[in-house]
């Protein structure tokens, strides 16, 4: 009965479960309020370009350019799981479809972009949450937890046959005992993940039309995962009276009774019956161990560095830009309380205390264009390609890389007020093997809109709202028993920011 422990331990290593922002696997692209106003910023010229178009920042003019941003993100994660044994849950009876909902919150997410432009050079620094970005809580656990716990009831026919055999052998009261179909338990999961990104780089302007950029990004990852399955109860029937009893305690007491009578039979010279009882005691002991309380806690940290290159080209009213972020190799080191529990479980032994989990941040290619229809009206488009297949991420099995397609527009109503809006389509290449209730990604549409207000020639305020609409992903197994899961999310982000020119 190591499966129960396996499921709980999996919670501790589900290191991509908390991504609550826009972007590919383990990648956040909304690192400024300008992005929330209009996500198609890949060829825009602005201080937020320290992330989205660093080569274009050099065209802002000389001086110090600074942007401070605060975002608030909220996401729900919903999994509807169907399993044949779910109707026997004493706390949620009658239906084989159970819903598990988690809330992911990032109350305050800061970001900072700074550029010092002098002559043909632009020296830049950026800080943002570049992956993860919040904590998620499932107050009643997950369907994968309940499927394993409910599986205990599948041993009822075997145990009931054992009770009858023991009763026929003359052990008092055994014939009156039965194991019923009901079960109940207490489960919980909480996860927190942040990838802190620090970017250093410089852009050089060859002329009024062409610039290039080179830089480095350092990522520091920090995560914590806590979860438990406690107080597993099963239905026990004695002389027609039903009650819910602690499974581990009940099986432990039954194993002790079996061993007691096995010893008595051995002393009476009935070796065959003694051997039968001792074998049954071993099986019941395995059930007692498998239904014990599990409470695991894992902290993970790691870091990595990768180069970034970019180019920006202006011709007339058209601006073109591209950026390539190299893959960041990340290995998150575990500090956990699950070392002893993980020993002997091949899949999870490497995630025990002192082990490491591969969670690379994928390489990213962005291409963008911006066209000035009028001096006050600009339209833009972008494409993001994440090289997910080239990463090592132990929970991910990809059919293909991820892609994002972006469109947007910006209008200067007057010299003071600018409004903008845009949308983004995100497509993942997930297959069933890479989808589970602990970690999943689904395709989505996002839209954002907002306003920029020039308080003065040197100060600009930004405010925006960003919403993501997720597809549903349905997964059905063909083996018996039949299991089906439906995955989806909701997401919204609001942001306030201020830009300074010094």
């Amino acid at each position: 009965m190591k499966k129960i422990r396996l499921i709980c331990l999996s919670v501790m290593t589900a290191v991509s479960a908390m991504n609550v922002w826009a972007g590919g696997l383990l990648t956040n692209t909304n690192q400024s309020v300008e992005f929330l106003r209009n996500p198609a910023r890949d060829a825009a010229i602005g201080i937020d370009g320290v992330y989205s178009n660093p080569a274009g920042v050099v065209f802002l003019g000389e001086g110090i350019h600074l942007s401070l941003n605060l975002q608030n993100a909220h996401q729900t994660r919903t999994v509807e799981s169907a399993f044949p044994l779910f109707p026997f849950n004493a706390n949620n009876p009658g239906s084989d479809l159970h819903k598990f909902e988690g809330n992911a919150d990032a109350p305050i997410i800061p970001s900072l972009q700074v550029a010092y432009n002098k002559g043909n050079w632009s020296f830049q620094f950026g800080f943002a949450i570049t992956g993860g970005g919040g904590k998620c809580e499932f107050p009643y656990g997950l369907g994968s937890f309940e499927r394993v716990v409910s599986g205990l009831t599948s041993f009822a026919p075997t145990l009931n046959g054992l009770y009858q055999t023991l009763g026929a052998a003359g052990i008092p009261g055994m014939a009156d005992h039965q194991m019923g179909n009901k079960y109940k338990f207490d489960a919980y999961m909480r996860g927190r993940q942040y990838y802190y990104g620090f970017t250093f780089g410089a852009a050089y302007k060859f002329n009024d039309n062409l610039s290039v950029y080179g830089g480095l990004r350092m990522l520091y990852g920090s995560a914590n995962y806590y979860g438990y399955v406690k107080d597993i109860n099963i239905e026990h029937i004695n002389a027609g009276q039903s009650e819910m009893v602690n499974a581990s305690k009940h099986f432990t007491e039954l194993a002790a009774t079996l061993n007691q009578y096995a010893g008595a039979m051995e002393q009476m010279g009935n070796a065959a019956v003694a051997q039968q009882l001792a074998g049954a005691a071993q099986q019941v002991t395995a059930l007692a161990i498998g239904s014990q309380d599990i409470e695991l806690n894992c902290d993970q940290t790691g870091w990595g560095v990768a180069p970034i290159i970019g180019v920006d080209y202006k011709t007339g009213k058209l601006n073109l830009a591209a950026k390539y972020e190299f893959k960041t190799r990340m290995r998150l080191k575990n500090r956990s309380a699950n070392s002893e529990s993980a020993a002997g479980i091949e899949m999870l032994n490497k995630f025990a205390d002192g082990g490491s989990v591969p969670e690379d941040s994928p390489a990213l290619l962005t291409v963008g264009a911006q066209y000035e229809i009028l001096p006050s009206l600009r339209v833009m488009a972008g494409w993001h390609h994440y090289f997910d297949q080239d990463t090592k991420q132990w929970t991910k099995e990809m059919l293909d890389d991820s892609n994002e397609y972006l469109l947007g527009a910006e209008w200067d109503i007057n010299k003071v007020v600018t409004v903008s809006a845009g949308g983004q389509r995100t497509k993942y290449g997930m297959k069933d093997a890479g989808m589970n209730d602990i970690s999943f990604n689904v395709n989505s549409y996002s839209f954002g809109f907002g306003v920029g207000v020039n308080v003065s020639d040197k100060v600009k305020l930004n405010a925006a709202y960003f919403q993501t609409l997720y597809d549903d992903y349905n997964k059905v197994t063909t083996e018996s028993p039949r299991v089906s899961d439906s995955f989806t999310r909701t997401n919204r982000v609001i942001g306030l920011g201020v830009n300074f020119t010094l």
Side-chain angles (χ1 to χ4, degrees):
M1 291 300 294
K2 289 183 178 179
K3 288 185 177 180
I4 293 177
R5 296 179 180 274
L6 179 74
I7 292 295
C8 295
L9 287 164
S10 297
V11 176
M12 305 306 110
T13 50
V15 296
S16 61
M18 299 308 119
N19 195 329
V20 299
W21 286 10
L25 297 174
L26 290 176
T27 305
N28 293 333
T29 52
N30 49 321
Q31 298 185 12
S32 68
V33 177
E34 281 91 342
F35 175 94
L36 301 183
R37 286 173 45 191
N38 167 21
R41 297 289 294 174
D42 302 295
I45 304 298
I47 182 58
D48 64 301
V50 169
Y51 171 75
S52 57
N53 179 20
V57 176
V58 72
F59 293 115
L60 285 177
E62 293 198 352
I64 298 175
H65 304 272
L66 173 68
S67 179
L68 298 172
N69 302 270
L70 296 176
Q71 299 184 46
N72 174 280
H74 174 75
Q75 183 182 96
T76 64
R77 300 166 58 86
T78 302
V79 183
E80 291 187 342
S81 297
F83 192 64
L85 298 177
F86 281 179
F88 302 116
N89 186 326
N91 291 330
N92 189 11
S95 174
D96 65 354
L97 182 65
H98 287 177
K99 181 184 289 188
F100 300 87
E101 292 183 304
N103 292 306
D105 287 294
I108 299 178
I109 302 298
S111 64
L112 170 69
Q113 294 91 34
V114 182
Y116 172 62
N117 290 2
K118 183 67 175 178
N120 293 336
W121 287 93
S122 174
F123 302 96
Q124 302 171 26
F125 168 78
F127 166 77
I129 307 298
T130 57
K135 61 181 179 179
C136 187
E137 182 179 41
F138 284 86
Y140 303 106
L142 295 165
S144 53
F145 291 20
E146 184 171 355
R147 281 195 292 270
V148 176
V149 174
S150 67
L152 284 172
T153 63
S154 65
F155 291 94
T158 300
L159 280 179
N160 291 336
L162 175 62
Y163 285 135
Q164 294 303 313
T165 300
L166 295 177
I171 299 179
M174 283 295 175
D176 295 329
H177 289 267
Q178 281 185 290
M179 177 178 173
N181 292 322
K182 295 180 182 179
Y183 67 90
K184 66 178 183 179
F185 66 105
D186 184 18
Y188 177 81
M189 171 185 169
R190 182 190 68 228
R192 169 191 53 77
Q193 182 194 64
Y194 290 96
Y195 272 26
Y196 302 96
F198 303 86
T199 305
F200 305 86
Y204 181 78
K205 178 173 62 175
F206 290 99
N207 51 49
D208 290 338
N209 302 97
L210 177 66
S211 65
V212 296
Y213 171 87
L216 291 173
R217 174 171 291 123
M218 191 274 280
L219 295 182
Y220 176 77
S222 174
N224 171 264
Y225 299 95
Y226 173 74
Y228 61 74
V229 174
K230 294 181 177 180
D231 197 22
I232 298 173
N233 278 243
I234 59 170
E235 182 183 22
H236 178 242
I237 302 171
N238 186 5
Q241 298 296 315
S242 173
E243 63 175 336
M244 301 300 294
V245 298
N246 182 276
S248 183
K249 181 180 178 182
H250 176 74
F251 291 136
T252 298
E253 292 174 349
L254 177 58
T257 299
L258 290 169
N259 282 320
Q260 176 185 349
Y261 280 97
M265 291 296 110
E266 183 73 28
Q267 291 179 359
M268 294 171 59
N270 197 336
V273 175
Q275 186 176 3
Q276 180 186 15
L277 294 176
Q282 290 181 345
Q283 295 178 355
V284 175
T285 298
L287 289 175
I289 294 173
S291 55
Q292 288 177 345
D293 290 350
I294 302 295
E295 184 174 5
L296 299 173
N297 198 345
C298 179
D299 290 306
Q300 296 178 322
T301 56
W303 64 280
V305 178
I308 306 170
I309 56 176
V311 61
D312 187 280
Y313 179 71
K314 303 173 60 153
T315 174
K317 297 180 180 181
L318 178 66
N319 191 63
L320 303 171
K323 179 188 65 169
Y324 184 77
E325 302 180 19
F326 289 78
K327 177 181 72 175
T328 306
R329 182 184 183 276
M330 293 286 288
R331 297 295 180 268
L332 301 182
K333 187 175 181 180
N334 296 333
R335 289 181 293 116
S336 61
N338 64 358
S339 299
E340 185 177 347
S341 300
I345 302 176
E346 182 178 355
M347 174 184 169
L348 293 175
N349 190 39
K350 61 183 178 179
F351 304 124
D353 186 44
S356 65
V357 180
E359 283 295 333
D360 295 343
S361 183
L364 168 63
L365 172 65
T366 69
V367 178
Q370 176 176 285
Y371 185 75
E372 187 180 281
I373 299 176
L374 299 170
S376 61
L377 179 62
R378 297 164 293 281
V379 293
M380 52 278 289
W383 171 60
H384 301 166
H385 182 82
Y386 298 89
F387 296 85
D388 295 307
Q389 290 187 93
D390 190 42
T391 62
K392 289 187 177 181
Q393 300 178 26
W394 82 276
T395 59
K396 294 290 172 287
E397 297 183 51
M398 305 295 297
L399 279 175
D400 203 351
D401 295 337
S402 303
N403 290 279
E404 293 176 334
Y405 309 91
L406 307 98
L407 291 172
E410 191 171 64
W411 177 37
D412 300 328
I413 296 177
N414 50 46
K415 293 183 179 181
V416 176
V417 179
T418 299
V419 294
S420 58
Q424 171 179 295
R425 173 60 168 165
T426 301
K427 296 273 292 181
Y428 295 106
M430 302 297 292
K431 59 183 179 181
D432 280 359
M435 297 289 289
N436 57 72
D437 54 8
I438 295 173
S439 178
F440 66 87
N441 288 275
V442 290
N443 299 334
S444 64
Y445 292 93
S446 299
F447 64 90
F449 57 87
V451 60
V453 179
N454 293 312
V455 178
S456 69
D457 292 340
K458 297 183 180 297
V459 179
K460 182 178 183 179
L461 300 178
N462 293 289
Y465 178 83
F466 187 86
Q467 178 79 50
T468 301
L469 306 175
Y470 290 90
D471 298 348
D472 292 335
Y473 187 103
N474 298 311
K475 173 183 175 181
V476 180
T477 61
T478 56
E479 68 269 11
S480 181
R482 184 175 180 271
V483 179
S484 68
D485 290 306
S486 178
F487 308 94
T488 193
R489 305 184 183 196
T490 66
N491 185 62
R492 67 105 183 103
V493 186
I494 56 176
L496 293 173
V498 58
N499 299 346
F500 300 93
T501 300
L502 305 177

